[in-house]
Amino acid sequence: MLLKDKKILITGLANKYSIAAGIASAMHREGAELAFTYQNERLLKNLEPLAKEYGSDILIECDVASDESIDQSFLELSKKWAKFDGFVHSIGFAPSDQLEGNFVDVTTREGFQIAHDISSYSFTALAKASKPMLNEKSALLTLTYLGAIQTIPNYNVMGLAKASLEANTRFLAASMGADNIRVNAISAGPIKTLAASGVKNFRKMLSQHSSRAPLGRTVTTEEVGNAAAFLCSDYASGITGEITYVDAGFNTAAMPLTEIVDS
Ligand code: NAD
Ligand code: 0WE
């Protein structure tokens, strides 16, 4: 039981395919008490039965585009939990017109601003708003992608936003270390979630991934969940400001073995 007696808030659970669902499942198995936020009323219907599975009845609306919504959600949470032990930030968004076509041609000031606001600033905003309620030895976790450090076709301005999110992880770790709060990120391999479902040629990306990755496959939300449970547990007490890859090794291999070595 990695997370016995830990209270953890999970954001970004849209449906059973969400990375946040794999994380919730692993954290529940490891004994954590969970609370959830949802972006809007429409997503509450999906969340309700899942939260029940994970033993939780704390469901709070939080649209990270609004400071008022963020403040209101922690006020509401404080009625259930005076203090808690960390949160998972599993939120990313850019307008869909930013994620298809040539980067320099499609990127706009507004698209850039929204991507960075929702995908990176929101992590700082949640840390800021929750700080008075966080116990010692709390852990904060976010989800990033390889597009932060290498180009990926069509990922475009989301790559810039993820680069910002990764720097955000390091600066939050430095800022909150004195309070014994750790801040980390998981860089997950591509997974067919709601956020990926609208992406052109996503299937091709999954098969590219499998052929280059040392493990010869993609990863599951359960595998991301297991790493998340570890990083938020006291077993990871010496780890902060770190980006942990859960990608079947894809980022470590420049060329697929099978293309070069005769069999
Ligand atoms: P998902 O669609 O299941 O989750 C994305 C979540 O972001 C949704 O729950 C949505 O409600 C939430 N969200 C968007 N705008 C919001 C706002 N204004 N306020 C509150 N919530 C908002 O998709 P996912 O793939 O599970 O994405 C979760 C995280 O994982 C994202 O940060 C994504 O960038 C990251 N990630 C995904 C993959 C992948 O291939 N699926 C790989 C690496 C990293
Ligand atoms: O971070 C992500 C998802 C990012 C995302 C996806 C969407 C689609 C729907 C952000 N905003 C939106 N906005 C929408 O309107 N991933 C890592 C998954 C992903 O998205 C891609 C990928 C991969 C991988 C987009 C283009 C290319 C590759």
Side-chain angles (χ1 to χ4, degrees):
M1 297 275 266
L2 284 177
L3 295 168
K4 195 175 170 294
D5 298 327
K6 295 272 194 193
K7 292 184 172 70
I8 297 175
L9 175 69
I10 296 185
T11 68
L13 203 170
N15 59 37
K16 66 178 178 180
Y17 304 108
S18 294
I19 292 176
I23 294 175
S25 168
M27 289 187 165
H28 173 60
R29 183 194 70 219
E30 295 301 331
E33 264 185 73
L34 301 177
F36 296 90
T37 66
Y38 56 93
Q39 186 184 352
N40 56 47
E41 202 68 38
R42 192 172 47 81
L43 291 168
L44 178 60
K45 282 191 295 290
N46 292 340
L47 177 58
E48 267 174 337
L50 286 164
K52 205 172 197 175
E53 258 185 62
Y54 310 132
S56 173
D57 62 355
I58 310 179
L59 310 180
I60 298 168
E61 183 170 321
C62 181
D63 180 346
V64 297
S66 149
D67 287 333
E68 201 190 344
S69 176
I70 292 172
D71 289 343
Q72 190 58 39
S73 65
F74 285 105
L75 182 66
E76 209 176 307
L77 182 65
S78 70
K79 293 172 190 161
K80 304 276 189 174
W81 291 349
K83 291 266 184 170
F84 65 109
D85 303 290
F87 65 79
V88 177
H89 173 270
S90 189
I91 292 170
F93 179 79
S96 57
D97 64 349
Q98 301 293 290
L99 298 176
E100 197 183 320
N102 186 296
F103 172 68
V104 70
D105 296 338
V106 302
T107 307
T108 64
R109 189 184 297 273
E110 194 195 5
F112 183 107
Q113 180 258 310
I114 293 170
H116 284 72
D117 186 27
I118 305 302
S119 311
S120 179
Y121 175 70
S122 65
F123 192 36
T124 315
L126 293 181
K128 193 195 265 286
S130 63
K131 196 180 169 194
M133 292 172 66
L134 291 174
N135 287 319
E136 267 222 57
K137 299 198 287 173
S138 283
L140 315 186
L141 183 70
T142 189
L143 275 303
T144 183
Y145 181 56
L146 185 62
I149 61 165
Q150 292 180 15
T151 63
I152 312 265
N154 296 323
Y155 201 61
N156 295 352
V157 78
M158 272 305 294
L160 284 67
K162 291 301 194 189
S164 165
L165 180 67
E166 294 186 4
N168 205 336
T169 302
R170 292 184 286 272
F171 274 86
L172 285 173
S175 160
M176 301 179 86
D179 300 310
N180 202 8
I181 296 168
R182 298 180 299 102
V183 187
N184 290 294
I186 287 175
S187 185
I191 300 175
K192 189 136 182 69
T193 61
L194 186 62
S197 66
V199 175
K200 209 175 159 202
N201 294 322
F202 195 74
R203 284 220 322 264
K204 281 188 193 164
M205 265 177 235
L206 293 175
S207 67
Q208 264 281 317
H209 183 97
S210 295
S211 59
R212 192 198 293 187
L215 293 181
R217 59 175 178 82
T218 56
V219 294
T220 63
T221 59
E222 289 75 16
E223 290 176 309
V224 176
N226 288 335
F230 164 69
L231 286 171
C232 291
S233 80
D234 294 344
Y235 285 96
S237 58
I239 303 175
T240 194
E242 207 67 60
I243 315 297
T244 300
Y245 285 80
V246 181
D247 69 347
F250 182 88
N251 80 96
T252 68
M255 223 179 265
L257 201 66
T258 50
E259 291 284 315
I260 307 300
V261 177
D262 302 325
S263 59

